[in-house]
Amino acid sequence: MKKALPICCLLALSPSAWALVPPDYQEPENDFNAEIEAGLQLNSGNNETKNFNGRTYLTYDTLKTKQEGTFKAYYAADGTEATAEKYEVYLQSNYKLERGYVFGRGEFTWDEYGSYTKIYTISSGYGFDLIKNNKTKLSLEFGPGYRYDLPTDSVAEPNPVSNEDIIVRSAAKYSIKLQEYTSLNADVTAETGRENNTLTLDMNYRNTFIQDWAFKIGVNIKYTADVPQDSQKTDTVTTFNLLYTFQ
């Protein structure tokens, strides 16, 4: 009789009591979101090399504004001699309109072994979502900007002079959810100026395997029309990283 009493009490509960936590309950959305990813490779023996890359992405998305910040770092060494060292910072602030948004953006790159050791770009303009649903999103941005870059030294120019240019920046940001746990993202950015033109493709594929943990493959390809002597016009970076997302 004593064992049956708790069971009877549970059966007597009203349906509203059982609905306190429905099966399809989801946590309320958080305005703040962050992603941290990193990849590391070490080789020893006949070939002693090491390389590291990391990325941190922060966003604060409210009803009227959206703030984004990205920090990237790349490092590679052959033995004790560094062969690549690059840091990138992207900051963007959007103010949402009834249709689309206006934005201000800053991009800062320091590349010790690149064709340009310093690249600073500031731009503003208008953006809008051409496609936006639960599976696919395509955003377009367009606006004027200013770019400062410092070429690396070469035999022809041991003390290079920095360049300053007024540019027009256009960008397309595409993302698609392939399956429940996989997605593909691709950003294409073009900067057109009187002194130089650049075209950048940043694409990645991610697969979530344990809650907030994902495996990510990324490819970044940048083409620069005018580069210093003995420099390549196309730079490609391929990464294989673990990514953690938290809110």
Side-chain angles (χ1 to χ4, degrees), residues 36-57:
I36 298 177
E37 65 179 87
L40 177 65
Q41 178 177 321
L42 300 173
N43 297 327
S44 60
N46 294 319
N47 182 20
E48 294 189 7
T49 62
K50 57 184 176 182
N51 67 70
F52 167 83
N53 76 88
R55 170 183 170 271
T56 299
Y57 171 76

Side-chain angles (χ1 to χ4, degrees), residues 140-159:
L140 303 179
E141 295 180 352
F142 181 82
Y146 164 83
R147 180 177 61 215
Y148 165 92
D149 55 50
L150 179 64
T152 186
D153 55 2
S154 62
V155 177
E157 291 190 43
N159 298 307

Side-chain angles (χ1 to χ4, degrees), residues 10 32 46 119:
L10 289 174
F32 175 77
N46 294 319
I119 304 176

